[in-house]
Amino acid sequence: MPDIRIKQPDGEIEFKDWQYVHNTIIPTHVLSLDDVRDRARRHHLEVAYLGDVLVGSSTVRPPMDETSAATVIARVLAEHRGQGLGEALYTRGLNRARELGAETVETVVLSSNEDGLRFARKHGFVETERYLLPGETVPWIDLRLS
């Protein structure tokens, strides 16, 4: 496993890095920097680097009052996949979700992201729903850890 450095964004560069990973992997749902800052207030965001090279990001949406489910999302840029980086991000996210009191863990993957779907299924997630967000043409897939 390469020497990966994972941290919460705490400055403009890291917020832009998180935004870059998101918008590269999810080109159908582009986020502005203001969107990213808003997410950072509501969710636990992290960015991942190998040395100074940006390789991925993650999001943990904490359980809400009406559910005990947390959502864990790990994203690795295509050129850095297959090196265990997604595993590191996912494991940290899963641990964070449990620290936040999650009884159930979910994830969401854009249906066109075959690598992401394969990763989720390999880790025991099963599909619960497919849907389109308003104005989008590529379905999202919600999955739950079984």
Side-chain angles (χ1 to χ4, degrees):
M1 166 79 171
D3 188 25
I4 185 172
R5 180 172 52 94
I6 303 172
K7 62 177 295 209
Q8 279 188 271
D10 63 2
E12 204 66 13
I13 291 171
E14 289 142 355
F15 283 121
K16 286 180 181 178
D17 285 348
W18 191 96
Q19 177 194 33
Y20 175 80
V21 173
H22 177 278
N23 290 347
T24 299
I25 295 174
I26 312 295
T28 61
H29 192 77
V30 173
L31 297 178
S32 70
L33 271 176
D34 285 340
D35 294 332
V36 174
R37 287 186 202 97
D38 179 59
R39 284 179 187 223
R41 285 188 285 278
R42 296 180 289 123
H43 309 313
H44 181 81
L45 307 183
E46 292 187 325
V47 285
Y49 303 90
L50 284 179
D52 292 331
V53 177
L54 175 66
V55 296
S57 69
S58 65
T59 302
V60 177
R61 298 177 190 158
M64 304 301 278
D65 291 338
E66 64 274 0
T67 176
S68 61
T71 301
V72 175
I73 304 166
R75 297 185 184 99
V76 175
L77 295 169
E79 61 271 24
H80 300 286
R81 293 179 185 161
Q83 301 176 50
L85 304 170
E87 192 70 38
L89 283 164
Y90 168 69
T91 299
R92 284 176 62 96
L94 188 60
N95 290 338
R96 180 71 175 165
R98 290 183 175 140
E99 289 169 5
L100 294 170
E103 294 176 18
T104 305
V105 175
E106 299 175 335
T107 195
V108 59
V109 180
L110 193 62
S111 64
S112 60
N113 182 353
E114 293 176 15
D115 289 342
L117 284 172
R118 200 170 19 261
F119 183 91
R121 289 180 177 134
K122 175 182 149 197
H123 287 82
F125 285 85
V126 294
E127 183 175 333
T128 58
E129 183 180 7
R130 282 182 187 242
Y131 55 92
L132 281 172
L133 292 176
E136 295 189 10
T137 59
V138 179
W140 292 86
I141 302 173
D142 285 347
L143 301 106
R144 179 170 289 138
L145 190 58
S146 61

